[in-house]
Every structure is written in C-alpha cells, then in structure tokens.
Amino acid sequence: GDSVTQMEGPVTLSEEAFLTINCTYTATGYPSLFWYVQYPGEGLQLLLKATKADDKGSNKGFEATYRKETTSFHLEKGSVQVSDSAVYFCALPTQGGSEKLVFGKGTKLTVNP
Amino acid sequence: DAGVIQSPRHEVTEMGQEVTLRCKPISGHNSLFWYRQTMMRGLELLIYFNNNVPIDDSGMPEDRFSAKMPNASFSTLKIQPSEPRDSAVYFCASRRQLGGELFFGEGSRLTVL
C-alpha cells in the first residue's frame, strides 16, 4: 500500500547549520506530498506541500521538491534556528485519493544555540 | 477562529476504567480524524468521518475502542475497558474538504495505570 519512509532521528544541529531530512514514498499514481511539523506539547501543523511532480513547496525557509524519478520529498533548510526544534513528519494521502493521510514515523530535530 | 478543541488535555486512569475523549472540529469542516501517537508506533489513524458518517475504522485496535460523531460539531472516542497499552496521545484533526490541510488539536494525553 501507499506509504512514506523518513530518516530516523534524532537529529541534532547547531544554529545556522544546513538541514536535510530524507523522505521517500511508495504510491499508486502521483499523490500530493506534505510535511507537517509538531512543536513540543502541540498538535501537528502543515509546514508545506507539493501537489505534482517537480513542484517545490516552501514555507518559513524550509523547502521540499517532489521528485518523481527518485520518489522522494526531502525537507531542507539552509540555516536552522533554535525555534525550529520540533518533530517533522512526511505524509501522503492514500486510497487512491485524498481521503486518508498516512504519516511517516517522524524525525525529531534539536537545534542548539 | 477557534482551532480544533480536545478535552481532556490529560487523563490518568486505572486499568479497566472507561475513558471518553472529546473533540470539537473547526466549524465548517466536514471531515474528522482520530489519530493515536506513541513512541513505538508513531502516528496511527484510528478512524475518520465524512459529514458525520464513519468512513473507515480499520485502524481501531479492537472492540474496546469506539467512536461517534452525533453532529458536525462534536465527536467522542471511547475506550472501555482501558488497558495500560492504550497509554498514548490521542489527536483529533479536521479538514474542510477532500485533499485539504488537516488541522490538529493539541491532543489528549492518556495514561492508564
């Protein structure tokens, strides 16, 4: 079935370091792809999305490009801040449409000053 | 606008007791989702509703779990009887339309002793 696999964490970086969190997917067709973020003690919230191949989603300095050839949607940020410390989830809709959203296991990021 | 509202935020109970978690989705949203989050299993979809009708409950672990949505502004997730392995954070999320962004509540942290 449709699924996402993201890199295991935790990831610890110093402020202003470059961030990459890998995500690959298995899907029928070309579904939309999402990154959600969960800050401590909160629910998940949408960070960015891409709806078709070669699309780039971006928000708050984060970017991810929908790569059909490599079935990937890696999350990147050029210079992380302490406030980016959170858990990041890759997700895609399953069941051939957009009814259910399936999430990866999450990658915990800690940014130290 | 108010977000998704969940109650209680924290619940500690003893094994065998009934637990009821509540959710008020965002007004105007027609889909509602219940997720469970644990360290071991990540984020699991338990059940979702469209227009108050349960569409897919294949994620509900067993008969001890039940969910209802009597109207567009309220849903409950009930566990009876509760067991220690049910300890988790339970999230409710709502969505305005198919393929749209999921909005999550802050979660209900359940501890079963």
Side-chain angles (χ1 to χ4, degrees):
Chain A
D2 297 353
S3 66
V4 291
T5 303
Q6 60 181 107
M7 64 185 282
E8 299 274 331
V11 175
T12 302
L13 296 173
S14 297
E15 207 163 22
E16 299 184 4
F18 184 84
L19 169 71
T20 299
I21 300 178
N22 290 339
C23 171
T24 57
Y25 66 89
T26 303
T28 308
Y30 303 106
S32 297
L33 298 173
F34 303 84
W35 277 101
Y36 278 76
V37 59
Q38 183 180 27
Y39 298 104
E42 299 183 10
L44 282 71
Q45 56 186 271
L46 179 65
L47 179 60
L48 55 84
K49 69 177 184 182
T51 57
K52 61 183 188 296
D54 299 326
D55 257 8
K56 179 185 284 187
S58 61
N59 186 25
K60 299 182 181 180
F62 290 88
E63 294 183 339
T65 302
Y66 191 150
R67 302 274 188 210
K68 184 177 62 175
E69 321 76 48
T70 54
T71 62
S72 64
F73 193 54
H74 304 324
L75 182 68
E76 297 180 337
K77 186 172 185 181
S79 177
V80 293
Q81 305 300 312
V82 172
S83 57
D84 294 326
S85 297
V87 182
Y88 294 82
F89 294 87
C90 187
L92 87 166
T94 186
Q95 272 195 333
S98 304
E99 288 279 14
K100 298 197 296 187
L101 206 57
V102 173
F103 289 87
K105 295 213 165 185
T107 302
K108 183 175 181 180
L109 169 67
T110 300
V111 181
N112 295 318
Chain B
D1 286 340
V4 175
I5 298 172
Q6 293 187 243
S7 65
R9 289 295 312 277
H10 302 275
E11 174 94 3
V12 180
T13 191
E14 293 189 345
M15 184 173 63
Q17 296 298 305
E18 178 179 293
V19 173
T20 299
L21 307 178
R22 298 172 177 80
C23 174
K24 177 178 169 55
I26 294 173
S27 177
H29 285 196
N30 58 19
S31 297
L32 182 141
F33 302 77
W34 282 101
Y35 284 88
R36 178 173 67 176
Q37 185 178 39
T38 60
M39 289 291 291
M40 291 297 294
R41 301 169 73 96
L43 202 60
E44 303 172 278
L45 177 63
L46 301 177
I47 185 171
Y48 75 96
F49 297 82
N50 274 351
N51 297 315
N52 314 337
V53 176
I55 301 301
D56 186 343
D57 65 355
S58 59
M60 295 286 261
E62 47 199 274
D63 291 346
R64 297 184 297 106
F65 285 70
S66 63
K68 294 182 180 179
M69 192 165 186
N71 57 61
S73 59
F74 184 65
S75 177
T76 59
L77 178 67
K78 186 173 292 187
I79 309 172
Q80 166 64 19
S82 58
E83 296 182 3
R85 60 193 168 120
D86 302 330
S87 298
V89 181
Y90 291 81
F91 286 102
C92 176
S94 69
R95 181 178 70 188
R96 181 178 296 281
Q97 64 204 23
L98 193 66
E101 177 182 352
L102 284 188
F103 290 83
F104 282 77
E106 293 186 318
S108 294
R109 180 176 294 276
L110 172 65
T111 302
V112 183
L113 302 175

